[in-house]
Each structure stands twice: as C-alpha cells, then as structure tokens.
Amino acid sequence: MRLAVWDPDEPFRRWRDALMQHAKEIGLAIDVIDAPSDPDAQAEFALVWRPDPDWLAGQLGLRAVFNLGAGVDAIAPALHRLHPGVPLIRLEDAGMGRQMADYVAEGVLHAYRRMTDYAAQQAKARWEPLPLPPRASFTVGFLGLGQMGAAAARRVAAMDFPILACSRSGQSRFAAELGCAIYALDRLDEFLAQTRVLVVLLPLTADTRGLLDYAALSRLPQGAHLINASRGAVINQADLLDLLHGGHLASALLDVFATEPLPAADALWSHPRVRVTPHVAAQTLVGPSAAQVMRKIAAIERGEKPGGVVDMRLGY
Ligand code: GLV
C-alpha cells in the first residue's frame, strides 16, 4: 500500500523514517512517498498538513486522510467537497496534550501571580508587592473540552485551581473524570460570568467562528484573563483589543491568530498586556504521530473504525 505525506513544516525524511520503522514493527508493508515532489503518484492513505487542494483533488484512490494536527479546519471542508466519502482522521493527543498542559499551566500561573502587573511595574522601576486573589475564587474556565482541553484542565485542576468547562453539546467524557461542571454552548454567558481565566480550546467551525466577540467577552468578570491556543478566528481580535484597552480584560496569552503569521503591524504585538507566541502551544511530534497513524492504518486494514474520525457535519 502507498502512503503520501504532505507536510511543508517537516523534512520528508523524518516522516519516512518514523513511518517505515513503525510499519515494520507492526508488520505492514508500506511505501511512503513525498507528495510535493511526486504529485502524480496515487496513494491509498495520505498524511497531510495544509496540502495543495489541486494535489488533493487529483488523488482518486484515497481510503483515508490523516491530518497532522488536532485541528482540522484547514482541510475538512476541502476534503469533504472533493472526496465526500473519504474519512478524515485527526491526531489524538500524540504527545500534544502534555505540551498543551504546559502552555496553559504557565498562562494560568502567570495570570494568578500577576506577572503582567509586575512587568508594568518593572518598566517603571517600581517596587510594590500586590495582593494575590484567593485561589479558591480564581476559576479557570475551559471553552472546549476535547483531548487538548482535558489535558490542560487535568493539569490546572492538579494545581488546585477551581475549574469549569463549556462545550458545544455540554457533554464530554472528560467532565466526569475531572469532576467539573460543564455547560453547553447555549449557556456560554453563564459559564463566562464565572470564569477568571478563559482558556479557549475550541475547534474552528461554522458555529465557533467569531464566537468570542465584544458582547461575549464582556460577560467575563472585570479583570479576567484570556488564553487562546486553538484557533485565532474563534475570537474577534479587534473586540479583544478594545476590551484590553478599556481594562475589562487584564491580559491575553495568544498562540493563534486569524491571520498567521500575525502581521507585523498588528497592535497585538506591542500591547503591554498581551503575550504572543507563534502557534507553538502543542506541536506535532513526528515519532508519536507516526506510531499513531500506523496503528490506525492497521485498524482500518482489519476492517475496524479507528479513533479520531472527524464528523464532517460538525466539522471536528
Ligand atoms: C495545531 O494547531 C493543531 O491543530 O494540531
């Protein structure tokens, strides 16, 4: 069988070596090809990150497409249009959960320990201890409780902060495990009103695009903090800046943006209460991802449905 790889961010050789090694371990005979350098070769399986739509359109024998990340917004609509019956399968954790937990934990502690206030004081050589909020009142709200949300929420709960969640359906197998209250998206306002640090880990879909606008973000209590590590377009960035300027929001830690790279002229770069990272919160790790993809291909070969198949109606 043939597996095509399309990943502009990683040398093909790394994928090929890791995929071949795992294929050998589980006894799969597989030919791995570099799709950009051999675009006419037809493959049964594809591993892709932001593939060229023309290449995708020309692949007529696909049995499944694996997305090299947790978020599928960049590929799901095109694949569904071009090859309606072909399943799209996302990475499930594959080493990204721990990275996400690190990123969010740093953001929560930075907010709780008032590091943005201290940075402002340092800029003025001002020595002034500030009171800490009571920990039990410093509720961290997870908007989105999938694999990434759950990994981050587990870590934050282990740091003894109260946690709360909100998701499209108001149901997540992780809510019971975490023992936290979970709201459906139609009760977003109630969820936001109780949240001191909002952690956005929602997929980008037709329902979540622009969800966090001025009105929604204003429901957060005065002085709340925002962390976004899923997709930039879930938030209206102009509204976010207004709320930071007005002081309603105390800080934002942003890893993702509506346009990436974030344009040099964007006011978010220089806002003193904003920290920007270049979409690195949870990066795809070649080794664990290759192992997971090979296990899933083996499952498909046995006639089973692997985990992580995207529901095209929901878009994630
Ligand atoms: C990265 O953004 C991913 O979706 O995995």
Side-chain angles (χ1 to χ4, degrees):
M1 114 204 22
R2 189 179 273 166
L3 171 61
V5 178
W6 187 294
D7 181 3
D9 298 340
E10 198 71 57
F12 169 67
R13 184 180 31 80
R14 293 200 61 212
W15 279 118
R16 189 199 48 217
D17 293 353
L19 289 161
M20 297 294 279
Q21 180 202 325
H22 291 292
K24 200 164 144 208
E25 275 166 25
I26 56 177
L28 277 178
I30 200 151
D31 181 19
V32 183
I33 62 160
D34 182 26
S37 59
D38 194 359
D40 296 328
Q42 297 289 311
E44 293 164 81
F45 296 102
L47 242 78
V48 300
W49 185 245
R50 301 184 184 280
D52 173 21
D54 290 337
W55 171 77
L56 195 58
Q59 288 295 313
L60 301 176
L62 288 172
R63 289 171 58 198
V65 173
F66 295 89
N67 182 62
L68 290 173
V72 297
D73 46 287
I75 168 102
L79 183 66
H80 189 49
R81 186 165 34 78
L82 294 166
H83 305 302
V86 175
L88 175 62
I89 304 171
R90 63 169 174 271
L91 286 181
E92 297 176 287
D93 197 315
M96 288 188 283
R98 184 156 71 179
Q99 298 175 65
M100 189 58 86
D102 288 346
Y103 188 89
V104 170
E106 193 277 344
V108 168
L109 288 175
H110 195 278
Y112 178 64
R113 296 305 304 254
R114 305 189 61 170
M115 292 303 183
T116 301
D117 294 326
Y118 287 121
Q121 292 191 177
Q122 183 172 347
K124 297 181 198 148
R126 194 153 125 200
W127 182 278
E128 185 192 335
L130 301 170
L132 281 183
R135 205 178 187 97
S137 74
F138 206 74
T139 301
V140 181
F142 290 84
L143 184 53
L145 198 63
Q147 303 262 357
M148 292 301 107
R154 227 173 261 131
R155 180 80 67 80
V156 170
M159 299 189 317
D160 287 336
F161 291 101
I163 62 168
L164 202 61
C166 177
S167 72
R168 182 187 57 80
S169 63
Q171 285 170 355
S172 160
R173 64 192 163 102
F174 301 113
E177 172 212 318
L178 288 159
C180 72
I182 180 163
Y183 293 83
L185 214 46
D186 58 8
R187 291 174 68 196
L188 178 65
D189 287 358
E190 262 172 89
F191 160 80
L192 292 172
Q194 299 172 62
T195 292
R196 295 285 294 274
V197 182
L198 175 63
V199 180
V200 182
L201 283 168
L202 280 178
L204 180 63
T205 67
D207 291 336
T208 65
R209 187 175 289 278
L211 177 73
L212 296 175
D213 58 7
Y214 194 93
L217 292 171
S218 303
R219 304 281 177 200
L220 289 164
Q222 172 77 29
H225 304 262
L226 173 78
I227 300 172
N228 187 10
S230 66
R231 288 295 180 265
V234 173
I235 297 179
N236 181 314
Q237 286 176 195
D239 290 352
L240 169 61
L241 268 168
D242 280 352
L243 287 157
L244 284 161
H245 280 310
H248 186 75
L249 292 182
S251 79
L253 170 60
L254 305 173
D255 188 50
V256 287
F257 303 88
T259 302
E260 293 181 7
L262 181 63
D266 198 294
L268 287 169
W269 276 116
S270 53
H271 195 288
R273 296 194 159 267
V274 174
R275 291 189 297 152
V276 168
T277 52
H279 202 140
V280 291
Q283 293 172 275
T284 298
L285 303 177
V286 170
S289 304
Q292 184 176 110
V293 166
M294 277 305 158
R295 280 197 303 273
K296 290 183 180 186
I297 290 180
I300 295 172
E301 293 285 82
R302 289 193 302 269
E304 294 163 13
K305 184 179 170 189
V309 176
V310 171
D311 181 332
M312 289 293 189
R313 280 170 310 126
L314 299 176
Y316 69 97

